[in-house]
Each structure stands twice: as structure tokens, then as C-alpha cells.
């Protein structure tokens, strides 16, 4: 994989850099700068080489009526001013206004274009839109690992239209996640969250590679239901019964032994600890219980390699105890630890434990897809 280090010359060269600016925003302000900070290595490399840097990215969300994104990257621009001394913003991503803004960038400076998903051509992988984006620059740099599993115009079509290279973050993601595919034993993988259909491939792959694979969060509910346990009103994704039954035969698979449960929509304070046989109708599994956390703490203490993706409970609704306890246990361990996923990273950031993990991925779904497949569409497109 060619990286920005392989670009022969960058002085006064216009570089279209696909970066990860998809971060949480509340009341018009960025609330978590993790991905923004991770994008800086490539941006600074290009700036110091006197390139003219054009940043393109997206923010999640779309109009229910048009299917086109309406959100703006302006809050990300405001936040990036903290890290980049001079950064301009353009209200569009293509067209005459974008072209004029690109032409006005001095060498060694940065321009951010507006949310790509405001144009329907981005998510539709429209070739005309890709051609318009490519026409803005001389070189393309892919550094948005978190979106490399999407076959969108900026991810898979633009790289075919320009000399294309991986950014420093993408290079690091591939290197570190490749290490996760050959873990040092004893090894422990923890895959949580929801959606059995999307996580089944990675669970299957990891069961062949890791000594113990813990499945938690809402994902575990499908397995528990397949074992004949009641999950009450808990979230399930109706996983394929035959596939669930096959995975349950694997002795490396580990499931929760207790939960925190409450009626759906309850606050954290309303939760009670229950065994796997004590979930009543009208109650929902909202977090893992203390017995499960203690079991995982023991596994963590003996592991040389740990892989973790996804929260153990409904983190966004205040059920954070098990996830934060898990983060603290891994941070105290001597294992080589690789973690990813939005809520997982949020817990680590909240506890200020970033420097206690070997590698924190910017990807959630992209991380899981890479572990399952060994590549991603956005990586393959670089040639």
C-alpha cells in the first residue's frame, strides 16, 4: 500500500485528503475531538511539505424526505482551528465556489469543504460527482479508515481518477489491526453492541483466532434466546437460528452470566442485578452484571492480547458501569490491547485512559469488517 511518504513531490501540489471528521456535535459544538486529533498527522505532514491541502469528509445523518444529508461540517471547522493555525472553509464540496476556494489556497495551508453527503452523489457512488471531486486536485489521499467499509464516491471512485495514496492514519490502522489477526496467546476478544447479522462474520473469524471470545451487549441477547433463556423486552436482532446454534457449540465462545435489567426506558438507578434465568416479561437487559465483569477481569489479567469493540450495555442511555469497569481493567493489564467503536472510545476518553491502550481505532463497523475480511473497499480502491 503506497502512502503519502511515497509521493515524489508535494510542494505547491493540491492534495484532496479524505479524512475522518464525523464526530459528535451538540448545540453546534464538537463534543469529542478524538477523530479530529487522529487526522492531524497526515494533515501536518502534507502542510510541512508545502502541499495545498483540501479536506473532504462527511457527517452522519440524512433528511427523511430527500435522503440527502443536511448537516454541516462547520462545527468541525471551528474545532480544527484549535489544531491548525490557518484553515479555510467552503460552503460547498463541488462546483464553481469549491473550485475558486481551492485555487485560492496558498501552499502549506488547508481548506475544508462542506459535508459530502449534502450531495446525493456521495452515497450513491455517482461517477459524475466523483469526477467533480477529482477535478479539484492533483493527488488523492485516503485517511478516513472509519468509512472505508462504505462504497461511496469519495471512498472507491475518486481513488481511480487520481494518483492515490494512503494517509498516515490509514497506514497505522491497517498495521495495528493486522496485528490483531495474529494475537499472542493467551488471547481474549470482546465483541459487544448489537446487530447479529453484521457481527456474525467477525465473531466467526475471531473464534478461529482467539482463545476466548466474549459476546456481550445486545448481541448476546440473540445467543441467550437461542439457548432457551428469556430476554424479556430486550433488544434482539433475530439472528439466524441455525448459525447461532452452530456458534454456540464452540467452546471458545463466552456469554454473560448476569445482567443489570429494568423496564425499557428506565433510568440507570432503576436497574437491578439478575441472573440469566431471571429476566421477566416487561424487563430489558441494559448492562452486564458484576459477576460478568469479575469473570472478564480475571480473563483480562491473564491475557497477553486483548481485542475489544462495542459497549457492554446501553451506554448512550446511562448504563455505563460495565463498559467503564472493563475499560479500567484493560488499562491496568499488561496485555497488548486494541480497541474501537464509538461508545468504547467515549468511555476510554471519559476516564482519560487513552495512553493505557496499545491502539485505539477510529473505526467501529470498519474495524469489524477489516477483522472479518482482511481489507475494505476503500483500501482495495487504492490499488
Amino acid at each position: 500500500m503506497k502512502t503519502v511518504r511515497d509521493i515524489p513531490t508535494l510542494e505547491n501540489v493540491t492534495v484532496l485528503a479524505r479524512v475522518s471528521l464525523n464526530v459528535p456535535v451538540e448545540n453546534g459544538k464538537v463534543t469529542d475531538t478524538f477523530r479530529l486529533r487522529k487526522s492531524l498527522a497526515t494533515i501536518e505532514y502534507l502542510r510541512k511539505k508545502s502541499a495545498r491541502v483540501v479536506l473532504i469528509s462527511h457527517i452522519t445523518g440524512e433528511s427523511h424526505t430527500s435522503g440527502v444529508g443536511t448537516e454541516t461540517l462547520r462545527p468541525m471547522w471551528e474545532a480544527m482551528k484549535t489544531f491548525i493555525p490557518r484553515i479555510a472553509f467552503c460552503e460547498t464540496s463541488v462546483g464553481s465556489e469549491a473550485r475558486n476556494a481551492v485555487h485560492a489556497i496558498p501552499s502549506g495551508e488547508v481548506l475544508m469543504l462542506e459535508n459530502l453527503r449534502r450531495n446525493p452523489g456521495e452515497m450513491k457512488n455517482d461517477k459524475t460527482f466523483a469526477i467533480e471531486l477529482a477535478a479539484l486536485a492533483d493527488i488523492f489521499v485516503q485517511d478516513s479508515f472509519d468509512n472505508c467499509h462504505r462504497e461511496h464516491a469519495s471512498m472507491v471512485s475518486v481513488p481511480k481518477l487520481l494518483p492515490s495514496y494512503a494517509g498516515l492514519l490509514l497506514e497505522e490502522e491497517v498495521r495495528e489491526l493486522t496485528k490483531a489477526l495474529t494475537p499472542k496467546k493467551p488471547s481474549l476478544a470482546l465483541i459487544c453492541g448489537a446487530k447479529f447479522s453484521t457481527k456474525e462474520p467477525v465473531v466467526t473469524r475471531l473464534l478461529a483466532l482467539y482463545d476466548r471470545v466474549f459476546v456481550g451487549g445486545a448481541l448476546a441477547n440473540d445467543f441467550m434466546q437461542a439457548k432457551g433463556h428469556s430476554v424479556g423486552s430486550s433488544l434482539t436482532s433475530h439472528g439466524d437460528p441455525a448459525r447461532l446454534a452452530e456458534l454456540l457449540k464452540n467452546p471458545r465462545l463466552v456469554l454473560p452470566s448476569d445482567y443489570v435489567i429494568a423496564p425499557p426506558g428506565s433510568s440507570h438507578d432503576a436497574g437491578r442485578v439478575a441472573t440469566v434465568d431471571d429476566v421477566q416479561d416487561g424487563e430489558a437487559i441494559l448492562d452486564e452484571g458484576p459477576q460478568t465483569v469479575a469473570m472478564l477481569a480475571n480473563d483480562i489479567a491473564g491475557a497477553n492480547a486483548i481485542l475489544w469493540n462495542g459497549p457492554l450495555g446501553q451506554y448512550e442511555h446511562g448504563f455505563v458501569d460495565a463498559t467503564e469497569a472493563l475499560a479500567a481493567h484493560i488499562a491496568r493489564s499488561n496485555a497488548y490491547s486494541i480497541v474501537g467503536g464509538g461508545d468504547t472510545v467515549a468511555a476510554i476518553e471519559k476516564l482519560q485512559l487513552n495512553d493505557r491502550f496499545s491502539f485505539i481505532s477510529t473505526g467501529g463497523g470498519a474495524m469489524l469488517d477489516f477483522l472479518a475480511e482482511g481489507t475494505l473497499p476503500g483500501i482495495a480502491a487504492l490499488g
Side-chain angles (χ1 to χ4, degrees):
M1 187 170 65
K2 294 184 297 183
T3 75
V4 288
R5 297 188 192 89
D6 298 308
I7 301 173
T9 181
L10 281 164
E11 186 172 0
N12 207 34
V13 171
T14 303
V15 177
L16 192 67
R18 187 26 165 125
V19 293
S20 177
L21 305 178
N22 186 27
V23 297
V25 174
E26 290 181 13
N27 301 317
K29 300 288 185 183
V30 168
T31 59
D32 184 346
T33 61
F34 171 71
R35 283 179 174 171
L36 304 188
R37 300 194 308 271
K38 294 288 280 187
S39 72
L40 294 175
T42 295
I43 296 170
E44 287 304 304
Y45 179 89
L46 296 171
R47 283 185 65 244
K48 289 176 180 177
K49 294 287 186 178
S50 298
R52 303 163 70 240
V53 187
V54 182
L55 305 181
I56 57 172
S57 189
H58 79 282
I59 180 170
T60 304
E62 60 183 36
S63 164
H64 292 296
T65 54
S66 67
V68 179
T70 56
E71 289 78 4
T72 178
L73 288 178
R74 269 191 169 274
M76 294 66 169
W77 173 56
E78 294 288 349
M80 287 294 265
K81 290 179 183 179
T82 305
F83 309 113
I84 300 172
R86 288 182 299 277
I87 179 170
F89 185 77
C90 179
E91 302 282 352
T92 61
S93 58
V94 292
S96 60
E97 185 177 353
R99 289 194 297 272
N100 291 337
V102 170
H103 292 154
I105 313 169
S107 294
E109 295 195 12
V110 183
L111 168 70
M112 183 187 297
L113 302 183
E114 184 56 283
N115 179 12
L116 293 173
R117 290 191 184 179
R118 284 192 167 192
N119 191 304
E122 168 65 359
M123 294 179 70
K124 291 179 180 177
N125 190 19
D126 179 74
K127 298 302 183 288
T128 301
F129 181 60
I131 290 168
E132 289 186 273
L133 284 173
L136 297 173
D138 306 306
I139 285 174
F140 176 75
V141 170
Q142 179 58 267
D143 213 31
S144 184
F145 174 78
D146 68 304
N147 205 49
C148 274
H149 58 321
R150 308 290 188 195
E151 295 192 31
H152 294 170
S154 65
M155 306 306 297
V156 298
S157 291
V158 173
K160 298 173 183 176
L161 300 170
L162 289 171
S164 297
Y165 301 83
L168 300 178
L169 174 58
L170 180 59
E171 179 187 34
E172 182 185 29
E173 292 273 7
V174 170
R175 180 179 66 244
E176 293 298 322
L177 294 179
T178 299
K179 290 180 186 177
L181 297 175
T182 53
K184 186 178 179 181
K185 296 181 177 297
S187 57
L188 171 67
L190 306 110
I191 302 298
C192 308
K195 298 179 184 176
F196 175 80
S197 60
T198 61
K199 292 188 172 70
E200 184 270 328
V202 74
V203 171
T204 299
R205 182 86 185 275
L206 296 178
L207 282 168
L209 301 175
Y210 282 73
D211 297 307
R212 285 170 69 81
V213 177
F214 173 78
V215 171
L219 185 62
N221 297 342
D222 286 71
F223 286 90
M224 287 301 191
Q225 207 168 45
K227 289 184 72 173
H229 295 288
S230 170
V231 296
S233 303
S234 305
L235 176 68
T236 59
S237 54
H238 308 289
D240 175 37
R243 192 71 196 111
L244 285 162
E246 187 65 27
L247 291 171
L248 283 168
K249 295 176 184 177
N250 194 310
R252 297 182 175 190
L253 182 71
V254 181
L255 295 170
S257 56
D258 66 340
Y259 310 118
V260 173
I261 61 175
S266 297
S267 68
H268 174 271
D269 295 338
R272 71 178 182 90
V273 176
T275 66
V276 296
D277 296 314
D278 187 27
V279 182
Q280 306 300 314
D281 291 343
E283 291 182 316
I285 300 165
L286 301 173
D287 206 355
E288 315 299 13
Q291 184 176 313
T292 300
V293 172
M295 172 189 70
L296 294 176
N298 184 64
D299 287 342
I300 289 164
N304 282 317
I306 298 171
L307 175 71
W308 174 29
N309 182 291
L312 276 69
Q314 291 192 8
Y315 193 88
E316 70 278 14
H317 296 303
F319 290 85
V320 303
D321 292 354
T323 299
E324 292 182 358
L326 185 65
H329 284 301
I330 297 174
R332 286 194 294 268
S333 78
N334 294 318
Y336 194 89
S337 52
I338 296 175
V339 300
D343 289 334
T344 312
V345 176
I348 293 167
E349 291 254 298
K350 176 184 173 183
L351 298 173
Q352 299 182 338
L353 295 173
N354 297 51
D355 61 350
R356 301 300 303 274
F357 290 80
S358 306
F359 179 68
I360 302 176
S361 176
T362 57
M367 173 184 172
L368 295 175
D369 284 1
F370 182 88
L371 293 170
E373 304 295 336
T375 189
L376 296 169
I379 296 171
L382 295 176

